[in-house]
């Protein structure tokens, strides 16, 4: 019998329990949200942090979403922290990632009262100077990404809750006409980009949304380039406005597109099954309202994972506001979005540690061996599975049963047969294989579930 240099037999080194780690980007048999949305004529987006667009975070962002919004990378304070000195690194990174993944980019945001550079907010400017600064900023940023940005949130949060104009650097220095000017300058810099006004607490019919409605109506009448309105939708659990669809429809009736631009649903912590079920219903309700209105074109979640959400630091005691938990596992909210887009209800995949695989070699000979993998679940269940691992050089699967196995180089992937994809809570399935080998191997290869 061949043995390794340690003196242990192949069978001894090849028997062990290995944790199955979920690969959330794939969600087993689930259809990606972007494909479901496309079938409904919609775009599903997420805000992202450029530096995180690798690994599992990048996989999910690329697979599940058809639009990306830079969370902070395109705000004035980020791109021009010192007057005349620009930093486009993160914005460029996000645009490049989107192009590589066939995604739209939603530019955010050109004119806002917050996250501006200190040189701008602390300066003393005449109206003429302020107008020149704003025009140059818009022309520079929109011009840089001409042809690469599908839509811009040109003006962000111009109204108070009672529908009056917010007192800001722009309103105080330029008057209400700064909005029309900003839209006009943005259109000149990229005539193909869709131009939006974006605000929060305007999801239902109320004083603030009516002020926005009247503004858009007047801009349209004056021939100002305005293509859409963004309803941010930073919502509290169980408080989706009853008039959401009605409000979306009345904006659409003005001849503009509507986008849900910053959707999250925060809850008092800790999360529990009841709260998560309500959150699923809330996400589903918002998505369904958009699906119901033809000119509602995009729903963007404001970060897809709880580990990349602004909520916890902004609203102490609240959190768990996104469709994925901090470990990148889809929450019930993910399936609420999926259902509203026509996807099937799917049991969320188990969290890490809920399922395990025992890999063992049951027999071996000079030029080959027989192995098996048992997948067992406790506290969770699977509706389908695919086990993958990497062999050492010289090992090649030649035959498999109870699974369909393929091998490319050292990479092995085994998917369930039609009759054994379900692994119930407390149950298990086993598949086996024959393989050839040349006398070198890795003990207990790490198995992953995708």
């Amino acid at each position: 019998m061949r043995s390794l240099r340690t003196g242990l037999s192949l069978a001894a080194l090849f028997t062990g329990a290995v944790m199955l780690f979920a690969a959330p980007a794939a969600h087993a048999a689930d259809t990606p949200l972007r494909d479901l949305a496309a079938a409904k004529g919609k775009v599903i987006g997420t805000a992202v942090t450029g530096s995180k667009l690798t690994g599992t975070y990048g996989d999910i962002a690329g697979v599940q979403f058809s639009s990306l919004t830079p969370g902070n990378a395109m705000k004035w304070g980020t791109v021009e922290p010192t007057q005349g000195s620009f930093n486009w690194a993160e914005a460029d990174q996000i645009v490049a990632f989107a192009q590589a993944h066939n995604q739209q980019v939603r530019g955010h945001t050109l004119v806002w009262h917050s996250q501006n550079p200190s040189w701008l907010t602390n300066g003393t400017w005449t109206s003429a100077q302020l107008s020149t600064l704003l025009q140059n900023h818009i022309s520079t940023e929109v011009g840089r990404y001409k042809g690469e940005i599908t839509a811009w949130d040109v003006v962000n949060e111009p109204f108070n809750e009672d529908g009056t104009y917010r007192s800001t650097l722009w309103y105080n220095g330029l008057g209400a006409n700064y909005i029309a000017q900003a839209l006009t300058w943005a259109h000149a810099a990229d005539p193909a980009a869709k131009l939006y006004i974006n605000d929060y607490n305007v999801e239902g019919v109320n004083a603030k949304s009516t002020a926005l409605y009247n503004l858009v109506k007047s801009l349209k009448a004056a021939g100002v380039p305005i293509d859409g309105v963004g309803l941010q939708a930073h919502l509290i659990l169980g408080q989706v406005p009853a008039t959401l669809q009605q409000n979306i429809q009345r904006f659409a009736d003005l001849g503009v597109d509507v986008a849900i631009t910053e959707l999250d649903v925060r809850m008092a912590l800790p999360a529990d099954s009841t709260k998560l079920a309500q959150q699923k219903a809330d996400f589903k309700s918002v998505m369904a309202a958009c699906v119901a209105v033809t000119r509602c074109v995009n729903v963007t979640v404001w970060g897809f994972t709880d580990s990349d959400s602004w909520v916890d630091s902004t609203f102490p005691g609240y959190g768990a506001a996104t469709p994925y938990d901090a470990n990148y596992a889809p929450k019930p909210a993910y399936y609420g979005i999926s259902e509203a887009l026509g996807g099937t209800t799917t049991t969320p995949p188990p969290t890490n540690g809920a399922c395990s695989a025992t890999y063992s070699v049951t027999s071996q000979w000079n030029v080959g061996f027989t192995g098996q993998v048992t997948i067992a679940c406790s506290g969770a269940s699977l509706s389908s599975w695919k086990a993958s691992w990497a062999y050492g050089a010289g090992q090649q699967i030649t035959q498999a049963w109870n699974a369909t196995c393929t091998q490319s180089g050292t990479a092995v992937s085994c998917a369930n047969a039609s009759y054994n994809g379900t692994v119930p809570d407390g149950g298990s399935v086993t598949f086996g294989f024959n393989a050839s080998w040349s006398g070198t191997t890795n003990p207990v290869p790490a198995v992953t579930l995708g």
Side-chain angles (χ1 to χ4, degrees):
M1 178 174 66
R2 291 180 184 265
S3 63
L4 303 180
R5 286 180 294 174
T6 59
L8 296 175
S9 70
L10 177 65
L13 279 171
F14 251 80
T15 304
V18 192
M19 299 314 298
L20 288 177
F21 296 102
H27 306 328
D30 297 333
T31 302
L33 296 179
R34 63 185 292 172
D35 295 342
L36 295 173
K40 296 287 188 180
K42 309 297 180 183
V43 172
I44 182 77
T46 182
V48 292
T49 300
S51 61
K52 296 182 179 181
L53 285 172
T54 61
T56 303
Y57 182 99
D59 290 343
I60 296 173
V63 169
Q64 293 291 334
F65 300 98
S66 47
S67 174
L68 301 182
T69 299
N72 292 296
M74 289 186 175
K75 292 172 181 174
W76 200 332
T78 300
V79 300
E80 194 182 5
T82 303
Q83 188 171 11
S85 178
F86 296 92
N87 179 6
W88 305 105
E90 187 185 1
D92 286 353
Q93 180 184 22
I94 293 170
V95 171
F97 182 95
Q99 291 172 346
H101 292 82
N102 193 28
Q103 295 168 304
Q104 297 180 5
V105 179
R106 185 176 189 88
H108 180 82
T109 176
L110 296 171
V111 189
W112 193 24
H113 62 272
S114 186
Q115 291 185 248
N116 289 314
S118 58
W119 65 262
L120 176 64
T121 56
N122 295 336
T124 301
W125 315 104
T126 65
S127 292
Q129 289 171 328
L130 197 60
S131 179
T132 299
L133 286 169
L134 185 57
Q135 181 176 6
N136 288 344
H137 169 68
I138 292 171
S139 300
T140 299
E141 184 159 3
V142 177
R144 178 181 180 84
Y145 296 106
K146 182 178 181 180
E148 299 180 306
I149 303 293
T150 300
W152 281 100
D153 292 327
V154 178
V155 177
N156 199 41
E157 301 173 1
F159 290 108
N160 294 314
E161 296 304 302
D162 63 359
T164 58
Y165 283 102
R166 183 190 294 269
S167 176
T168 68
L169 174 68
W170 311 114
Y171 179 77
N172 295 340
L174 301 174
N177 194 47
Y178 83 90
I179 297 173
Q181 290 176 315
L183 291 163
T184 301
W185 294 328
H187 179 71
D190 187 355
K194 299 292 187 180
L195 308 180
Y196 281 68
I197 301 173
N198 191 51
D199 216 326
Y200 66 92
N201 288 352
V202 292
E203 296 75 32
V205 177
N206 56 36
K208 192 174 188 180
S209 66
T210 297
L212 178 58
Y213 175 89
N214 289 334
L215 171 62
V216 171
K217 186 176 182 180
S218 66
L219 291 171
K220 290 279 289 183
V224 175
I226 172 71
D227 300 294
V229 295
L231 316 180
Q232 290 184 13
H234 293 297
L235 303 175
I236 300 172
L237 189 72
Q239 296 186 24
V240 177
T243 54
L244 173 60
Q245 183 178 327
Q246 174 191 344
N247 194 41
I248 294 172
Q249 187 64 62
R250 72 166 175 163
F251 279 107
D253 291 342
L254 288 178
V256 295
D257 292 336
V258 180
I260 307 296
T261 54
E262 304 180 25
L263 174 62
D264 51 33
V265 181
R266 62 186 181 269
M267 64 183 69
L269 298 174
D272 58 35
S273 59
T274 300
K275 294 175 186 175
L276 291 173
Q278 179 62 56
Q279 186 184 55
K280 174 184 178 180
D282 291 345
F283 271 90
K284 183 175 181 179
S285 177
V286 173
M287 191 74 242
C290 184
V291 169
V293 180
T294 301
R295 293 203 69 154
C296 185
V297 296
N298 181 317
V299 173
T300 290
V301 294
W302 201 245
F304 62 83
T305 169
D306 291 342
S307 63
D308 195 36
S309 174
W310 72 304
V311 168
D312 301 69
S313 61
T314 308
F315 301 96
Y318 285 79
T322 77
Y324 287 75
D325 69 19
N327 295 315
Y328 302 128
K331 292 154 57 178
Y334 168 90
Y335 295 97
I337 297 171
S338 176
E339 289 173 20
L341 290 171
T344 57
T345 302
T346 307
T347 302
T351 58
N352 290 352
C355 292
S356 63
T358 302
Y359 184 109
S360 61
V361 172
T362 57
S363 65
Q364 68 275 306
W365 51 97
N366 286 346
V367 293
F369 62 91
T370 299
Q372 69 178 26
V373 173
T374 299
I375 301 172
C377 290
S378 177
S381 62
L382 295 171
S383 59
S384 63
W385 49 263
K386 181 171 69 174
S388 305
W389 63 89
Y391 271 145
Q395 296 169 256
Q396 182 71 43
I397 288 183
T398 58
Q399 180 186 14
W401 50 93
N402 296 332
T404 301
C405 293
T406 59
Q407 184 170 350
S408 176
T410 60
V412 178
S413 179
C414 296
N416 61 272
S418 60
Y419 52 85
N420 68 348
T422 299
V423 185
D425 185 3
S428 65
V429 297
T430 298
F431 65 92
F433 47 87
N434 289 329
S436 61
W437 74 306
S438 60
T440 59
T441 187
N442 290 328
V444 190
V447 183
T448 60
L449 176 69

